[in-house]
Amino acid sequence: MKTVVCPGSFDPVTLGHLDIIRRTAAVFDRVIVVVMTNYRKKNTNCFTAEERADFIRRCTGDLANVTVDFSDGLLADYARKVGACAIVKGLRAVSDFEDEFQQALTNKSLAPEVETIFITTSSEYMFLSSSAVKQVCELGGDISKFVSPEILGDIEARIRRTGKTK
Ligand code: ADP
């Protein structure tokens, strides 16, 4: 039984993230999507960890081997605790690479038994990020091509009500 973790801030989860989660679920036995605190983005999150996890649960209800959790500790410790053989990340463009490479090497040194595996983005989601979703939404644009219909209304309501993405 191969368990993997898909970590991220998911603030909020986009169709790009969901594409990676679905493709990961097709390859591994068990996928734990873990909502984490990214210390560089900590004070700019729009949604709480519970809200972000709830959004992912609502979009992955049809995937029997996917569960959602959150953690504010070290990813390497979390992966070890749940018995994961790998951390699976999505890679968009060259701009993602340097940071992801550094994180992968750090995690390898903290938990050598846990591999990091990269899945390349699908070309239609190459430009898509949570921050772009928040910006477009705040300025009144249509985000229905960027997020799942299950959560579209809640994201629009929150961002347009508070009028801020930070
Ligand atoms: P973080 O705050 O840790 O960067 P994100 O929520 O932004 O987390 O992203 C989580 C993971 O999903 C990262 O590996 C990121 O590269 C990947 N990812 C984000 N957007 C996309 C996308 N559109 N296509 C493929 N992978 C993506």
Side-chain angles (χ1 to χ4, degrees):
M1 174 95 146
K2 298 272 188 207
T3 298
V4 297
V5 293
C6 280
S9 305
F10 305 110
D11 186 51
V13 67
T14 68
L15 293 178
H17 293 127
L18 290 169
D19 175 59
I20 298 294
I21 293 166
R22 282 178 189 281
R23 288 160 63 199
T24 304
V27 175
F28 293 97
D29 301 310
R30 185 169 162 244
V31 179
I32 306 174
V33 181
V34 58
V35 174
M36 315 242 7
T37 303
N38 179 330
Y39 278 85
R40 270 173 303 166
K41 300 181 185 170
K42 192 175 176 177
N43 299 317
T44 64
N45 282 333
C46 181
F47 299 97
T48 66
E50 288 82 356
E51 288 170 328
R52 288 179 270 148
D54 176 60
F55 285 157
I56 303 167
R57 275 191 203 104
R58 284 157 58 188
C59 300
T60 56
D62 59 317
L63 299 172
N65 61 340
V66 173
T67 56
V68 186
D69 193 6
F70 43 92
S71 165
D72 57 8
L74 271 176
L75 176 58
D77 289 344
Y78 182 85
R80 192 173 259 166
K81 184 182 84 181
V82 298
C85 63
I87 294 162
V88 178
K89 310 273 323 248
L91 257 195
R92 277 164 294 190
V94 182
S95 53
D96 272 343
F97 183 77
E98 197 171 327
D99 190 42
E100 293 292 355
F101 189 67
Q102 188 180 26
Q103 286 181 44
L105 290 178
T106 306
N107 288 326
K108 186 75 180 163
S109 123
L110 294 170
E113 75 281 16
V114 181
E115 297 295 345
T116 296
I117 296 173
F118 294 106
I119 296 191
T120 352
T121 184
S122 297
S123 53
E124 64 265 44
Y125 303 129
M126 200 171 156
F127 63 94
L128 187 52
S129 67
S130 298
S131 42
V133 167
K134 289 182 281 191
Q135 277 165 12
V136 170
C137 187
E138 184 173 350
L139 296 172
D142 177 12
I143 56 164
S144 62
K145 288 199 182 73
F146 305 150
V147 301
S148 202
E150 292 89 344
I151 60 172
L152 174 66
D154 284 355
I155 293 172
E156 287 178 337
R158 162 66 68 80
I159 291 176
R160 290 181 183 158
R161 190 181 67 237
T162 57
K164 62 183 177 70
T165 56
K166 296 184 173 140

